[in-house]
Amino acid sequence: MSLVTTTEMFKKAYDGGYAIGAFNVNNMEIVQGITEAAGELKSPVILQVSKGARAYANHTYLVKLVEAAVIENPEIPIALHLDHGDSFDICMKSLKNGFTSLMIDGSTKPIEENARLTNEVIKVAKCFDVPVEAEIGELLRLDEAGAQMENKNVANPEQVRQFLDLCQPDSLAIGIGNAHGYYKGEPDIKLEVLEEVRKFTDIPFVLHGCTGMREDIIKEAIKLGVAKINFGTEIRYKYVEHYEEALKTNHQGHSWKLSQLANDALTEDIKKIIRLAGSEGKA
Ligand code: G3H
Ligand code: ZN
């Protein structure tokens, strides 16, 4: 199997009442740890790339690493997704470099401008059968300690309706009190927004900021048609923790031994998320 788009994945997930785990990747070890877990559980998986990852390992390395994972795991569908693309240019660059799913995040802009930018990306991506995720309701911002800095991300269902009247992305992330990074205390996730929006559209939803979100909330969100659950912070912190543990072993200076121990442990973490998403056995 080669890299796939998220179109088929989302259709099956939405119809089947489960979600696909989308994990932020930036190096070979994390790609291996995630895809090994997905391979063992026969689950589709989305590997996504953020601005930071692109700055560290450019498109060339990232695409080739993910292509290697596809060759190593031929029995599962793997998609390569641009996470929080914030301009037309970065979406086009990703398209050209072989990404099979794009996110255009215009959520900091007024609705009309967000929709206009989203439409520009959709117009081109459609020619290549590459699906586009859009966002409305900017994600909450947290400071270094996890404290809330702003709270303007809970989208109003009416605004979502306006947005979807102006553009038709393939999936939609909606700000519902979620944020990137570790939450300080219990986040107030407004599932009722998804419930209201679900009354007038069957678009698959995307849930960002899943690190630290309660599992029952994530499961409820999936019941409301969330087809993609995004995990970034938890993955990178877990990987570093496992690596620190590996440093205490008799590694004899072999960095691959450290990576292998960290990968194996990360694989177990990812399996838990795949089971939470409900995508085990759905490859
Ligand atoms: O776009 C990426 C995700 O929303 C990751 O969020 O780092 O809080 O898990 P997280
Ligand atoms: Zn996000």
Side-chain angles (χ1 to χ4, degrees), residues 24-27 48-59 62:
N24 286 79
V25 298
N26 58 64
N27 64 19
Q48 55 185 16
V49 171
S50 68
K51 205 173 195 167
R54 292 197 307 274
Y56 165 64
N58 59 44
H59 276 184
L62 292 163

Side-chain angles (χ1 to χ4, degrees), residues 12 40 59-60 68 78 90 102 106 109 119 139 155 174 201 207 223 227 238-239 244-245 273 275 280 283:
K12 286 189 183 164
E40 281 180 39
H59 276 184
T60 313
I78 301 177
I90 188 60
L102 302 175
K109 303 179 193 312
N119 272 332
L139 250 79
I174 305 178
T201 175
L207 189 60
K223 281 189 198 154
K238 283 261 162 83
Y239 187 80
E244 281 170 348
E245 280 305 306
I273 296 175
R275 292 193 173 107
E280 181 176 2

Side-chain angles (χ1 to χ4, degrees), residues 1-196:
M1 200 180 285
S2 52
L3 266 180
V4 300
T5 72
T6 45
T7 309
E8 184 75 3
M9 279 188 192
F10 284 176
K11 195 186 165 344
K12 286 189 183 164
Y14 186 87
D15 292 346
Y18 62 91
I20 317 285
F23 304 100
N24 286 79
V25 298
N26 58 64
N27 64 19
M28 182 180 84
E29 289 74 19
I30 293 179
V31 169
Q32 283 177 323
I34 294 166
T35 49
E36 271 165 31
E40 281 180 39
L41 296 189
K42 303 275 176 283
S43 167
V45 71
I46 300 168
L47 301 176
Q48 55 185 16
V49 171
S50 68
K51 205 173 195 167
R54 292 197 307 274
Y56 165 64
N58 59 44
H59 276 184
T60 313
Y61 277 104
L62 292 163
V63 172
K64 295 296 173 200
L65 288 176
V66 173
E67 283 173 359
V70 170
I71 293 169
E72 287 296 315
N73 297 276
E75 71 293 354
I76 57 163
I78 301 177
L80 175 58
H81 174 76
L82 170 70
D83 192 27
H84 293 283
D86 57 1
S87 68
F88 178 78
D89 288 6
I90 188 60
C91 288
M92 293 306 105
K93 195 173 176 206
S94 305
L95 195 58
K96 177 172 173 269
N97 284 323
F99 282 55
T100 56
S101 176
L102 302 175
M103 176 182 190
I104 177 68
D105 180 355
S107 63
T108 56
K109 303 179 193 312
I111 294 176
E112 292 75 12
E113 215 180 306
N114 184 0
R116 189 186 48 73
L117 176 62
T118 302
N119 272 332
E120 277 178 14
V121 174
I122 292 173
K123 193 173 173 196
V124 184
K126 230 186 176 66
C127 300
F128 298 90
D129 289 326
V130 168
V132 175
E133 173 186 334
E135 177 167 319
I136 181 159
E138 192 188 351
L139 250 79
L140 206 70
R141 284 156 196 257
L142 303 179
D143 67 16
E144 287 294 298
Q148 201 170 297
M149 289 165 71
E150 298 178 54
N151 187 14
K152 58 176 183 180
N153 85 320
V154 178
N156 173 330
E158 268 317 301
Q159 290 175 325
V160 180
R161 189 201 293 271
Q162 272 177 41
F163 182 68
L164 291 178
D165 281 345
L166 296 169
C167 65
Q168 286 82 46
D170 300 275
S171 59
L172 184 64
I174 305 178
I176 54 170
N178 42 346
H180 290 149
Y182 284 112
Y183 295 98
K184 186 179 182 188
E186 185 71 36
D188 184 13
I189 304 296
K190 307 274 189 203
L191 290 177
E192 58 273 27
V193 173
L194 297 185
E195 222 167 316
E196 281 305 306

